[in-house]
Amino acid sequence: MKRKTIRTIAMMTALGCCSCPVLATDGATSEVPGKVPAGVQVAEEYTHLLPRLGDDAIATRVTMKAGKGITVSRNEGDDVRGVYITWYSAPAQLTVVRKGADGKPLKKERIAGESHRQYFEMGQDCTELQISSQKGEYTPAEVRVIHAGETVPFSGTEADVLVFVPAPGDEYTLYGGLLPRLVKNGYRVQLVYMEKGDRQTEEESLKALERLGVDVMPVFWGLSAPRNADTAAQAKAWKLELKKRSAAKLIETVAPKLVIAPSDAEGSGLPLGACAAGSIAAEGTEKANLAEKPALYLAGTAGTATIDWTADDAHDTAESLYASFDTQWIYHRALPETLSFADGADLSPFKAGTPAPVTHEQTEPEGAENGDDLWFRRAGEPAEVVEADVEKGVWSYRSDTLSVTVERHEEPETPLVWHVAHIRMRERNSFRSVIAADIGKQPRLRAWRMARKQKAVLLITGDNLTTSETPVKGMLIRNDRFYADRGYEDSMYFDDGLGMTIIPRKTLDGMETLEGGIRDVYSFGPVLVEDGEIQWEKIERHRVANNGNPRCGVGMVEPGHLVAIVVDGRQKEFSEGVDLRRFARMFLDEGCSLAYNLDGGGSTAMVFMGENLNQHGGQSWDKQRFLPEALMWGYSELVPTEDEPVSNIGNGWGNLKDIKA
């Protein structure tokens, strides 16, 4: 396959549960997940990718060249009403052609592309609708055919309530059950996202709002917003000093009854309350011709006006909808059970009404009774079970969806010490990839500190993403951000089947991989085990094959059952380390059919519940390095905070010196 030259670009920041292609050993795509949308056609060169447009995942998409369009046909007797497109990235301008039964154009028009979603009505006499961009590439992610009687999502044009939100995901974590309560009471709500988000989190927010029953399209500031006069002005006015003016323009346009914004005292980092308050003040609306000034509610301010969501099912509804979010940066954040407003607020708009139906349901497993499920939480046990015996070298964690068991192994005569973690998952989002720069101000962090920041049950070293070794690696992608596409080394990713997949070197380029929905790709190498056999040839040619060194790698016994192994090394009286040949045999001994080598040496780390299990010598030349990124499994509030005591910072148990960020 001819490879493309791709410059390093910043893509979305997210871990998703998207549908991913299965890659054959020759690098070709053997299967594109999803289903072909009925009645939809694309240009011949995109036909094999058409199922991506029916998989309901923003991460899988098709980039089309100018002039290559999407065609929707309606045969006699069909009830097709129109087509609804979710854009990963839309063109500035679209050409829309409607044709009649004789194949001749009924109407041809050029319209602005919308940045998120867009609906195209076919019309009474139209039998074929063609949508294309005559200038520049464009990228649809989903094409949905709308039939007669079906509701077009976000087709509402008027709103009673404007809700200012810092960023996608904050609508629930900041306001709790507020949105479900408003929708139940019949209010039409429009959200205003103040910060720039990535397309994954934006789409998750849109899907949750759609299920909730919000029918007015939100406004996304800080992005290339839908290209009409109002939102274009808002986007240009995003600079800090112009936010008040931008909010005033929106309030003038929407003319809501209520405006809800977070209190500035809540540490949002954005003066949203001041923006909204200033916009409602006389100087901000005196020319707006509003019949009456909207009421302003500042949420989160300590006051006597307090809503308790436990009074009805608003909080449960919000939690159920919040389960839509799979992106790592909002991983498992708690929803507030109460919400306070400034003193004197009239809470009558928020009083519980008749519950509205919610189509999304979240079910909780109830603990295993028998069989292999005994690895997970058992009936009658707490929601999370953590057990540790440092002296014996055994650690374990189990919940309804994740099981981690770690054992320390020793060979005193060598000497050699290594830790083996068996990871059993029931859900794809039990795993996440984390970059230090995304969770703090520094490009690198200590392994234990990174794990505690993210409340990770288990952390191991990744592939040393940001070092100068990229020319000898393969494909490097994190959270839809593209770092390198050298193709020198085989690469690895975790697939949606809860297993591991290898991308053979020089077979697939980065953009094809991203558009196939693969959002995290690792490349250090080599492949250690494949199809249950040690890959001797790949090991022998690798740059780090020889000598006893600290090692880190991950393998798969079967989908849903992974194995992480970390070997201590470079410590003569404690553990000498292993070469890659011995390391590969370790994975075979644990029953792995596939295994991949990650970064080792001074970067080697395994952290369980916020504590390093492995150790380095602590010498100046071999201390535990700060990591740019890591692989993590699980989330638990039982993990200690950064400020709580730590027994092993990676340079030996009880060695607490040099504990810095």
Side-chain angles (χ1 to χ4, degrees):
M1 181 182 296
K2 184 177 180 181
R3 301 177 66 252
K4 304 174 186 175
T5 300
I6 305 177
R7 68 182 185 274
T8 301
I9 53 176
M11 304 298 287
M12 306 183 312
T13 310
L15 167 72
C17 297
C18 57
S19 300
C20 299
V22 178
L23 304 183
T25 56
D26 63 356
T29 303
S30 61
E31 179 184 357
V32 176
K35 58 183 179 180
V36 176
V40 177
Q41 295 176 319
V42 293
E44 184 177 354
E45 60 261 47
Y46 305 120
T47 301
H48 67 292
L49 301 174
L50 190 54
R52 289 184 185 173
L53 300 181
D55 67 1
D56 193 34
I58 194 71
T60 49
R61 62 230 188 229
V62 180
T63 297
M64 297 185 177
K65 296 180 180 178
K68 305 295 184 178
I70 299 170
T71 300
V72 181
S73 301
R74 178 169 62 190
N75 298 321
E76 186 176 354
D78 288 347
D79 63 349
V80 175
R81 176 183 169 190
V83 60
Y84 191 71
I85 298 179
T86 298
W87 300 111
Y88 182 84
S89 62
Q93 191 175 72
L94 289 165
T95 298
V96 181
V97 180
R98 293 172 175 84
K99 294 183 179 181
D102 57 2
K104 295 181 179 180
L106 299 172
K107 184 178 181 182
K108 181 177 181 179
E109 59 182 339
R110 292 183 178 178
I111 61 176
E114 302 288 344
S115 66
H116 292 87
R117 299 183 178 194
Q118 202 161 10
Y119 175 67
F120 303 88
E121 186 84 23
M122 291 196 73
Q124 184 174 359
D125 299 323
C126 175
T127 60
E128 184 177 284
L129 176 66
Q130 295 179 343
I131 303 165
S132 64
S133 170
Q134 300 305 311
K135 187 177 181 180
E137 293 182 337
Y138 65 115
T139 310
E142 181 187 359
V143 177
R144 190 190 320 179
V145 174
I146 302 295
H147 296 270
E150 292 182 351
T151 302
V152 178
F154 298 109
S155 56
T157 57
E158 297 180 355
D160 304 307
V161 184
L162 270 181
V163 180
F164 286 84
V165 185
D170 291 334
E171 58 272 72
Y172 298 115
T173 58
L174 182 64
Y175 294 122
L178 177 66
L179 296 182
R181 180 79 65 89
L182 288 169
V183 172
K184 288 176 184 178
N185 287 336
Y187 286 89
R188 305 189 73 178
V189 181
Q190 183 172 28
L191 278 75
V192 184
Y193 294 103
M194 304 286 285
E195 275 190 338
K196 181 179 180 179
D198 59 60
R199 281 299 289 120
Q200 180 72 26
T201 51
E202 292 161 12
E203 192 59 27
E204 288 170 353
S205 287
L206 287 171
K207 287 179 179 178
L209 293 173
E210 183 180 344
R211 282 190 286 268
L212 181 61
V214 173
D215 67 348
V216 181
M217 186 70 185
V219 174
F220 291 86
W221 284 355
L223 296 172
S224 297
R227 294 170 178 83
N228 56 54
D230 291 327
T231 53
Q234 295 155 14
K236 291 179 181 178
W238 170 236
K239 290 183 179 180
L240 185 63
E241 66 272 15
L242 297 178
K243 279 190 289 189
K244 183 189 294 186
R245 187 186 310 170
S246 186
K249 175 65 176 176
L250 184 61
I251 291 172
E252 176 186 343
T253 303
V254 177
K257 298 176 182 177
L258 304 174
V259 175
I260 301 170
S263 168
D264 300 336
E266 298 304 307
S268 67
L270 295 170
L272 305 186
C275 284
S279 302
I280 293 172
E283 63 268 25
T285 57
E286 59 184 0
K287 297 180 181 179
N289 297 319
L290 296 174
E292 58 181 307
K293 295 178 184 177
L296 172 64
Y297 291 81
L298 295 181
T301 302
T304 57
T306 302
I307 297 176
D308 182 358
W309 307 123
T310 59
D312 58 23
D313 65 349
H315 188 263
D316 292 340
T317 300
E319 284 192 323
S320 180
L321 292 168
Y322 187 65
S324 307
F325 294 92
D326 295 314
T327 27
Q328 66 163 34
W329 66 275
I330 53 173
Y331 198 80
H332 279 273
R333 289 199 295 186
L335 276 63
E337 295 186 356
T338 61
L339 188 63
S340 298
F341 293 89
D343 289 337
D346 177 10
L347 299 186
S348 57
F350 310 116
K351 290 182 179 178
T354 303
V358 178
T359 58
H360 177 74
E361 294 183 359
Q362 184 181 17
T363 59
E364 291 287 341
E366 296 181 352
E369 295 287 353
N370 50 49
D372 293 340
D373 285 344
L374 288 177
W375 290 109
F376 298 91
R377 183 180 76 90
R378 299 155 194 169
E381 288 185 333
E384 298 176 272
V385 180
V386 180
E387 298 172 337
D389 190 327
V390 176
E391 184 176 346
K392 291 183 178 180
V394 179
W395 299 263
S396 67
Y397 170 93
R398 58 182 180 270
S399 68
D400 286 326
T401 57
L402 178 67
S403 167
V404 177
T405 58
V406 185
E407 291 189 2
R408 183 177 65 236
H409 298 261
E410 300 180 44
E411 286 182 2
E413 66 278 7
T414 305
L416 188 65
V417 176
W418 70 100
H419 291 79
V420 178
H422 281 261
I423 306 158
R424 295 170 173 86
M425 301 182 294
R426 283 174 167 165
E427 294 180 351
R428 171 66 176 84
N429 64 3
S430 290
F431 168 80
R432 64 195 189 278
S433 179
V434 177
I435 298 174
D438 289 343
I439 62 174
K441 297 180 180 179
Q442 296 140 306
R444 294 169 179 262
L445 290 168
R446 288 196 182 277
W448 67 268
R449 192 177 293 279
M450 194 184 301
R452 292 188 177 199
K453 277 181 175 289
Q454 287 287 291
K455 297 289 186 180
V457 172
L458 183 73
L459 173 150
I460 64 170
T461 310
D463 57 11
N464 213 353
L465 177 69
T466 57
T467 70
S468 59
E469 293 177 328
T470 52
V472 295
K473 294 182 181 179
M475 193 182 302
L476 295 171
I477 299 174
R478 290 298 184 282
N479 307 323
D480 274 354
R481 285 204 300 261
F482 183 70
Y483 289 87
D485 190 26
R486 302 284 183 174
Y488 181 84
E489 184 58 68
D490 294 340
S491 302
M492 181 274 293
Y493 70 92
F494 297 105
D495 57 52
D496 273 0
L498 304 184
M500 293 168 55
T501 300
I502 300 300
I503 302 176
R505 60 194 293 261
K506 298 183 179 180
T507 57
L508 202 67
D509 74 27
M511 191 56 70
E512 289 173 301
T513 304
L514 276 172
E515 292 189 352
I518 302 171
R519 306 181 59 209
D520 294 278
V521 179
Y522 303 86
S523 183
F524 193 92
V527 176
L528 300 172
V529 176
E530 197 164 17
D531 296 327
E533 297 183 357
I534 295 178
Q535 300 299 294
W536 299 111
E537 183 178 346
K538 293 181 179 181
I539 289 173
E540 294 299 335
R541 70 169 174 80
H542 200 271
R543 66 190 187 280
V544 299
N546 299 316
N547 302 324
N549 281 302
R551 303 288 183 182
C552 178
V554 63
M556 178 183 71
V557 177
E558 60 184 358
H561 183 181
L562 303 179
V563 174
I565 301 179
V566 164
V567 181
D568 287 324
R570 299 176 185 170
Q571 302 168 74
K572 289 184 179 181
E573 297 181 359
F574 176 70
S575 182
E576 293 185 350
V578 296
D579 61 18
L580 288 184
R581 305 169 190 85
R582 173 70 190 277
F583 198 39
R585 287 194 290 270
M586 287 180 170
F587 282 98
L588 278 186
D589 291 343
E590 298 299 330
C592 292
S593 60
L594 180 67
Y596 189 82
N597 184 56
L598 295 167
D599 188 23
S603 300
T604 306
M606 178 179 283
V607 182
F608 177 80
M609 299 299 289
E611 287 283 358
N612 271 80
L613 300 186
N614 69 304
Q615 70 177 49
H616 293 264
Q619 297 91 344
S620 60
W621 59 273
D622 191 36
K623 286 186 178 181
Q624 168 70 64
R625 291 177 186 163
F626 288 42
L627 303 181
E629 43 76 50
L631 284 62
M632 297 184 184
W633 285 269
Y635 175 96
S636 176
E637 290 291 344
L638 300 178
V639 175
T641 66
E642 295 176 78
D643 298 328
E644 293 181 74
V646 55
S647 299
N648 179 11
I649 64 172
N651 294 327
W653 290 92
N655 184 355
L656 302 183
K657 65 181 179 180
D658 193 31
I659 299 181
K660 298 180 180 178

